[in-house]
């Protein structure tokens, strides 16, 4: 981790019908689960969104009248970034547990799949980002390992009330070509390091070291209007386009 603040892109994933019971009171407004990512140009490859079932999240309104769901900690950061009515203040509309919005139906910008679903990931950290993570299993070993766990383990899906159709049809999408690693670099790395599950911490660390640097510095985007360009050259451009289209906002912490 660096010493200065880190810039993330906040991806706005719109909650669609059927709206989870705990979010029904806010239905008249647009409701978004918001995920912090360092890789906005990978949003073409989203297959789902991750929440931690036992984690606390809050519901609050932004100064543009939208309803956001994320951790209180992230909401407070957003308030200091002038995203709420009062700087440094968050009016909490509801406190919820991740498990109460698991299985939520979502539309996420740039994804080739719509809708996508909110699924459980047990390794999400409380003190990073928004506590909500967008899943790109083609390019993130953590995401691929967690999606594969859900696909392979019917008991895990059952435990969290996740229906088969929220998981089984979703496959990693080739979106970035990485020299030597191919166009599904996270899948390649998880195979190479023989990763068994999302809890395989040490091996996942090795896989991430291999994939992230190479993916960012040597990767070529394969999809969308900027296809054929280097990932490092389009990251900012795509972030800007998403912000202009109200699909994303900058978030610092
Ligand atoms: B990234 P850093 Cl394709 N707990 O987004 C665990 N992981 C979290 C998190 C949390 N609370 N909040 C965000 N993240 C993930 C996409 C992606 C990401 C790709 C490739 C690399 C990558 C799709 N998931 O991150 O510790 C999010 O995953 C490389 C590190 O602040 C976020 O960006 O460096 C990244 O970790 C932020 O991690």
């Amino acid at each position: 981790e660096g010493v200065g603040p880190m810039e993330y892109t906040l991806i706005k994933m719109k909650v669609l019908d059927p709206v989870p019971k705990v979010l029904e009171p806010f239905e008249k407004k647009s409701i978004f689960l918001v995920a912090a990512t360092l890789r906005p140009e990978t949003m073409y490859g989203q297959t789902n969104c991750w929440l931690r079932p036992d984690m606390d999240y809050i519901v609050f309104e932004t100064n543009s009248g939208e309803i956001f769901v994320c951790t209180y900690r992230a909401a407070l950061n957003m308030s200091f970034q002038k995203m709420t009515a009062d700087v440094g203040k968050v009016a909490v509309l509801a406190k919820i547990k991740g498990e109460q919005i698991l299985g939520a139906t979502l539309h996420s910008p740039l994804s080739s799949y719509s809708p996508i679903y909110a699924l459980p990931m047990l390794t999400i950290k409380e003190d990073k980002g928004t506590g909500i993570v967008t899943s790109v299993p083609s390019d993130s070993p953590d995401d691929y390992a967690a999606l594969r766990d859900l696909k392979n383990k019917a008991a895990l899906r059952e435990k969290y009330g996740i229906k088969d159709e929220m998981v089984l049809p979703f496959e990693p999408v080739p979106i970035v070509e990485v020299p030597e690693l191919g166009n599904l670099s996270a899948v390649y790395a998880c195979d190479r390091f023989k990763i068994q599950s999302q809890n395989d911490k040490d091996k996942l660390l090795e896989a991430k070291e291999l994939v992230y640097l190479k993916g960012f510095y040597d990767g070529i985007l394969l999809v969308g209007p900027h296809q054929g360009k280097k990932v490092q050259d389009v990251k900012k451009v795509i972030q800007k386009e998403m912000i202009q289209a109200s699909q994303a906002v900058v978030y610092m912490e």
Side-chain angles (χ1 to χ4, degrees), residues 137-140 144 171-178 181-191 211 222:
S138 53
D139 290 78
S140 158
Y144 178 64
E171 293 292 336
V173 184
I175 54 162
V176 175
E177 177 74 33
V178 187
L181 309 184
N183 62 16
L184 294 172
S185 57
V187 177
Y188 169 87
C190 285
D191 288 345
V211 162
L222 297 173

Side-chain angles (χ1 to χ4, degrees), residues 108 119 127 134 138 147 229:
S108 196
L119 304 177
D127 58 353
T134 182
S138 53
L147 182 62
K229 293 187 191 153

Side-chain angles (χ1 to χ4, degrees), residues 91-216:
V92 177
L93 299 177
K95 293 185 186 183
I96 60 180
K97 285 273 184 210
E99 63 190 359
Q100 294 177 293
I101 47 174
L102 273 180
T105 306
L106 307 167
H107 175 77
S108 196
L110 305 191
S111 174
S112 58
Y113 291 110
S114 188
I116 60 172
Y117 297 94
L119 304 177
M121 177 188 252
L122 307 172
T123 57
I124 292 179
K125 299 189 181 81
E126 308 207 44
D127 58 353
K128 179 194 290 192
T130 59
I132 292 172
V133 179
T134 182
S135 171
V136 183
S138 53
D139 290 78
S140 158
D142 284 330
D143 296 347
Y144 178 64
L147 182 62
R148 201 181 47 180
D149 283 350
L150 279 172
K151 283 195 180 225
N152 292 347
K153 298 169 191 173
L156 187 63
R157 298 198 294 276
E158 220 162 277
K159 178 174 177 188
Y160 293 108
I162 299 299
K163 295 184 187 131
D164 289 2
E165 63 263 30
M166 298 176 176
V167 175
L168 300 183
F170 296 88
E171 293 292 336
V173 184
I175 54 162
V176 175
E177 177 74 33
V178 187
E180 288 149 57
L181 309 184
N183 62 16
L184 294 172
S185 57
V187 177
Y188 169 87
C190 285
D191 288 345
R192 174 157 150 193
F193 294 107
K194 301 196 163 51
I195 286 157
Q196 303 295 326
S197 86
Q198 63 189 293
N199 299 315
D200 245 351
K201 220 175 157 187
D202 298 335
K203 287 184 185 172
L204 274 167
L205 214 61
E206 288 187 87
K208 289 188 272 188
E209 272 170 19
L210 178 69
V211 162
Y212 288 163
L213 278 181
K214 254 180 129 37
F216 184 69

